[in-house]
Amino acid sequence: MGLLDGLTPTKNTQPCKVGRTIIELEPSDAQVLIGALEDPRWTSRGLSRALADRGIGLAKDTVEAHMKKTCRCSKI
């Protein structure tokens, strides 16, 4: 039996930090954030900074992964 026998990927069951933030926000605020994430006028850096100005800490790379659908949320 080899060292890597039975190696399989784990199943993500939790959303990324952006997804968790959406869940935790009031519904109206969640809709605004979802809209911003889908709006091509926003860059990940710009959205991250705008959210930080409002007390929501989401890193640029985290926002970018969610916008590009390469985060955990896209695999749930």
Side-chain angles (χ1 to χ4, degrees):
M1 183 167 178
L3 177 66
L4 300 180
D5 287 346
L7 181 69
T8 59
T10 58
K11 174 82 170 122
N12 291 316
T13 59
Q14 298 295 316
C16 73
K17 189 170 181 183
V18 174
R20 289 192 312 268
T21 300
I22 290 168
I23 291 168
E24 293 167 1
L25 287 171
E26 294 293 324
S28 60
D29 288 334
Q31 287 304 312
V32 171
L33 179 52
I34 290 168
L37 289 162
E38 295 172 351
D39 187 335
R41 296 175 296 172
W42 279 107
T43 63
S44 56
R45 183 179 306 279
L47 184 52
S48 176
R49 285 183 179 168
L51 292 169
D53 289 345
R54 289 161 176 79
I56 299 173
L58 293 172
K60 170 205 150 308
D61 292 338
T62 304
V63 172
E64 183 174 9
H66 194 87
M67 291 172 95
K68 290 183 174 183
K69 301 188 183 340
T70 59
C71 67
R72 282 188 265 167
C73 295
S74 66
K75 297 171 181 71
I76 295 176

